[in-house]
Structure formats: C-alpha cells, structure tokens
Amino acid sequence: MRTRAYILLVVLMVAAIGTAEAQHKKRGHQREFDLEVRGGVNMCQIDGDASGNYNKMGFHAGLNTSFPLSDDGSWRFVVELGLTQKGSRINSSSLDRTISLLYVEVPLMLAYDMFDGNKLRAGVGVAPAILASANVKTDGVYDELHSQNYKRMDALPICVSLRYKITDHFGTDVRYYNSMLNIAKENGIGTYRISRSNKGQFNRLVQAGITIDF
C-alpha cells in the first residue's frame, strides 16, 4: 500500500507540473519551466556496515524540471525522477562484501540560480527513493539473506546540489546525499542518525556528472 501511495503521489505531481507549465508557457523565459537530463557516476558508502570509505562505484540518471517561485525566476522548485545505484564495498581481513542497491528516486529541491544566464544553481532538499533491486555478494557469491535485509524505501535522504552550465545547454553537477532514516531491516553493528533510537544503516554518496538542458 505504501508503494502504491508513493507512485500515486508521483503521478499527481507530474500532472500538476504539466498543468502549471501549460498556464505559464506564454510568459517570459525566466517564468517558464525548464527541462534537464542528467547522468553520471556515484561514489557510495553505507554508514553502519563496518566500512567507512567511498569505494563503491555506481551510476545515476534522471530527468527533472523546475518552476519559478520568485518573480525574477531565480528561486525555483526542482522535481526530478531518476534511477540511482547506492551501496558499499567492504574489504577487510575478515569480510569481502559488495552491496549494490538500485533505487528509483524523486528528488525535491529548493534551488537558487546565480550569475548571468543562471550559470550556477545551488539546491537543497530531500530525495525519497523506492528500492528496485538489492544485490549483496559475500566472497564473490550472491548472498540471499543480506540481499533481503534492505527496506523497500530509503525514505528521507537529504540532498545538496551544485550545477554549473558551461553552455546554454550543457553543464556539470555534483550532489551529496545522506540518508536520515535506517535503510536495513536488521542490523549488526549499526550507527544512528538524529536520535539513538534511529539506529542501523544509512546510505551516503557523492554524485558527479553532466547535465543537458532543453
């Protein structure tokens, strides 16, 4: 039921964006919606899994739009739908494990455009995500028990974004994600966020990639 409600929320947001875009399409450029495709690499780790390095590589791809919140269009609200791979790589004398978690995510961010041509955009928000697949390998062999130990949602990752447009249509961006809620069903070592009762494992990653604006 939670997954269905989440999908319904995404559909309603997309419908609302389409309606608002139709209402604003005749206004000036700064008042219009924009459209952006982004993709690149992730450098990931999971806090609380006995590994503390960004040594798990992944990927991300997404499509986003933003609409103005201020009259000059500098303050904007960004809505994105994307696919991102999180996880970690544990390689010690006692354990060799790779955790690959593939999520469908919906970043929602407040952004501010700066400089001539809005070349630099800084944003902050949340990026709730639904787990599409989990693949854990221990000593190179698929580990079914640990693969099934991850929750269906990474419900509250905070997200900080910085994008720079090299040309009108091409740019680069970096993002930082940090989950605020435990992503694992059961935990061995574990750490905590916000309060000690919120203990377990938490995704943390840095993204770097390119953007294409239309």
Side-chain angles (χ1 to χ4, degrees):
M1 289 298 294
R2 181 180 297 179
T3 300
R4 292 180 181 177
Y6 190 75
I7 293 173
L8 178 60
L9 176 61
V10 172
V11 171
L12 290 175
M13 286 192 301
V14 172
I17 290 171
T19 301
E21 183 174 8
Q23 293 174 347
H24 285 280
K25 65 181 180 180
K26 293 184 180 180
R27 300 187 181 184
H29 176 72
Q30 290 182 324
R31 297 292 298 171
E32 291 181 355
F33 281 61
D34 54 24
L35 183 65
E36 180 180 271
V37 176
R38 56 185 302 270
V41 298
N42 298 344
M43 291 156 281
C44 317
Q45 70 175 55
I46 296 177
D47 294 342
D49 70 344
S51 176
N53 300 313
Y54 291 94
N55 56 4
K56 170 67 173 66
M57 300 300 293
F59 70 89
H60 67 271
L63 175 68
N64 70 54
T65 185
S66 74
F67 56 87
L69 299 176
S70 59
D71 289 338
D72 63 358
S74 58
W75 286 100
R76 305 183 71 86
F77 191 76
V78 180
V79 180
E80 182 173 310
L81 180 63
L83 195 66
T84 187
Q85 189 179 50
K86 306 178 183 182
S88 72
R89 175 84 167 87
I90 308 167
N91 190 2
S92 65
S93 58
S94 59
L95 183 62
D96 182 3
R97 178 173 293 157
T98 302
I99 304 171
S100 297
L101 307 174
L102 184 65
Y103 290 90
V104 178
E105 65 173 4
V106 184
L108 307 169
M109 293 186 290
L110 176 65
Y112 184 72
D113 288 344
M114 295 169 275
F115 305 130
D116 292 339
N118 299 325
K119 285 187 175 295
L120 185 65
R121 171 177 290 180
V124 61
V126 296
I130 299 174
L131 182 64
S133 67
N135 188 311
V136 179
K137 290 185 178 180
T138 302
D139 296 326
V141 179
Y142 176 69
D143 189 329
E144 183 176 1
L145 179 64
H146 284 91
S147 296
Q148 295 177 353
N149 191 41
Y150 291 93
K151 296 178 180 179
R152 290 295 304 275
M153 289 191 68
D154 186 359
L156 192 63
I158 60 170
C159 176
V160 180
S161 173
L162 195 65
R163 185 206 67 188
Y164 180 76
K165 293 179 69 174
I166 300 172
T167 69
D168 288 342
H169 300 286
F170 180 80
T172 62
D173 74 344
V174 292
R175 285 188 186 177
Y176 170 78
Y177 291 80
N178 198 330
S179 298
M180 293 292 103
L181 298 178
N182 173 31
I183 63 168
K185 298 175 183 177
E186 297 184 6
N187 308 282
I189 301 174
T191 184
Y192 69 91
R193 293 278 193 275
I194 306 174
S195 68
R196 292 187 180 275
S197 61
N198 181 32
K199 184 179 180 180
Q201 298 180 27
F202 303 85
N203 284 313
R204 184 145 54 109
L205 66 147
V206 176
Q207 292 183 343
I210 61 172
T211 64
I212 301 174
D213 289 73
F214 299 92

